[in-house]
Amino acid sequence: MAELVWECLIVSLVLLFGVNIGLAMGLTEIRKKEAIALSISYGLVTLIISILANFLNNALYSTINYYIFAVLGIIGVITLLSGIYTIKKWKETKREIYPLQSVAMLSSSVCYFAGFMSTAVLLSKEITTSFLEFNLFMGIALILAIMGLYSFSKILRHAEMPYPVLLGNFMILNGFYFLISAALIPNIAELSSVQTSALSINSDISSLIFLIMGLIGIFLIGAYLKGEGITSTEDILQRIKLTAFNKTKKAKQSK
């Protein structure tokens, strides 16, 4: 059970932050060759981290297993705040181009590597298949995700919603996803200790199913918010203030 959870979490980290980093690269004027080189470097660093996690799992497993919920919570908060900052910055400056060292790019990179390192240490202790082969696949997936979203960002720049706002909203949704994950992690140990009858499940298929369910959930939330005209946290605060004002007004009228 624990192996399946850590696999799902690593897949989520790789793909969601691959999208984040790819979209953040789209904010810059980086050339395509430089983008390819940077994407490959992310994949190589992922493999290096995997090797280190495999060697250090005995020393770090207990500590990370105890604090993994805090690590995910911090990643969620940083990603959430970075998304809010990106939207706020655009509203103040109306800039469409940012440097490569932008908050969105740096926060996504730091959160990805920290989250991947922590989860890889846990997975390397639990996994029964080839750990390095699994993470080789994850490194390739990260490269493809970054390059795919970097290329797609050229199309998104022509969307009705300003590109920095779109990126910020996606980061906010990612932040909520990891905050929810952090809240659920403490239950993993209890689930792992539950004795059940034998059940054969292909972990790769299960990981894909969980990932698709998560992405569909994020997409539906984004579609709902867009349909309601909510494009940032400021819009949410305005809705809350308006609702509170209307309730107060009705209460006064009833008196």
Side-chain angles (χ1 to χ4, degrees):
M1 181 65 181
E3 177 187 342
L4 177 60
V5 172
W6 303 138
E7 283 183 358
C8 290
L9 191 55
I10 279 188
V11 172
S12 299
L13 280 163
V14 168
L15 295 188
L16 292 179
F17 278 112
V19 172
N20 266 13
I21 295 168
L23 290 177
M25 284 173 58
L27 276 177
T28 70
E29 292 182 325
I30 187 173
R31 297 177 181 178
K32 190 172 182 179
K33 290 183 179 179
E34 295 173 337
I36 293 174
L38 190 58
S39 301
I40 293 174
S41 68
Y42 273 98
L44 292 175
V45 172
T46 296
L47 291 178
I48 293 172
I49 289 176
S50 301
I51 295 171
L52 289 175
N54 199 27
F55 279 113
L56 299 175
N57 59 10
N58 290 327
L60 300 177
Y61 181 85
S62 298
T63 302
I64 293 179
N65 188 49
Y66 186 78
Y67 290 107
I68 185 63
F69 74 94
V71 173
L72 292 177
I74 293 171
I75 288 173
V77 170
I78 292 176
T79 305
L80 179 66
L81 293 178
S82 298
I84 295 173
Y85 177 82
T86 301
I87 295 173
K88 186 173 182 293
K89 191 72 174 177
W90 178 83
K91 289 186 174 181
E92 291 175 352
T93 64
K94 302 297 181 182
R95 288 177 57 191
E96 294 284 344
I97 303 296
Y98 289 82
L100 190 60
Q101 298 82 13
S102 64
V103 171
M105 188 74 180
L106 291 178
S107 65
S108 296
S109 301
V110 172
C111 287
Y112 166 71
F113 289 129
F116 187 87
M117 178 66 182
S118 301
T119 313
V121 167
L122 299 177
L123 180 61
S124 65
K125 194 80 170 179
E126 302 285 348
I127 196 167
T128 55
T129 57
S130 176
F131 175 72
L132 293 180
E133 285 182 9
F134 175 80
N135 285 292
L136 175 61
F137 176 76
M138 288 296 97
I140 295 172
L142 177 66
I143 295 172
L144 294 177
I146 294 175
M147 282 308 305
L149 269 295
Y150 169 75
S151 300
F152 190 57
S153 68
K154 308 303 179 184
I155 299 175
L156 292 177
R157 281 192 173 277
H158 300 290
E160 182 180 351
M161 184 183 295
Y163 186 82
V165 175
L166 187 149
L167 170 60
N169 285 336
F170 185 80
M171 294 182 71
I172 290 171
L173 290 174
N174 279 2
F176 279 123
Y177 171 83
F178 287 107
L179 285 175
I180 293 171
S181 298
L184 296 176
I185 286 298
N187 297 321
I188 293 175
E190 296 180 11
L191 289 173
S192 300
S193 62
V194 175
Q195 298 295 325
T196 58
S197 58
L199 179 63
S200 178
I201 299 178
N202 187 312
S203 62
D204 293 333
I205 295 176
S206 302
S207 300
L208 183 60
I209 291 173
F210 278 115
L211 176 63
I212 291 173
M213 290 173 61
L215 292 177
I216 290 174
I218 292 174
F219 173 78
L220 291 176
I221 293 172
Y224 171 77
L225 293 177
K226 182 172 176 58
E228 292 292 319
I230 300 174
T231 59
S232 67
T233 50
E234 290 186 12
D235 294 334
I236 296 175
L237 292 175
Q238 288 177 0
R239 290 291 182 93
I240 294 173
K241 290 179 182 178
L242 181 61
T243 302
F245 174 77
N246 290 334
K247 287 183 178 179
T248 304
K249 187 176 179 180
K250 287 181 180 180
K252 288 182 180 180
Q253 289 176 349
S254 62
K255 292 180 180 179

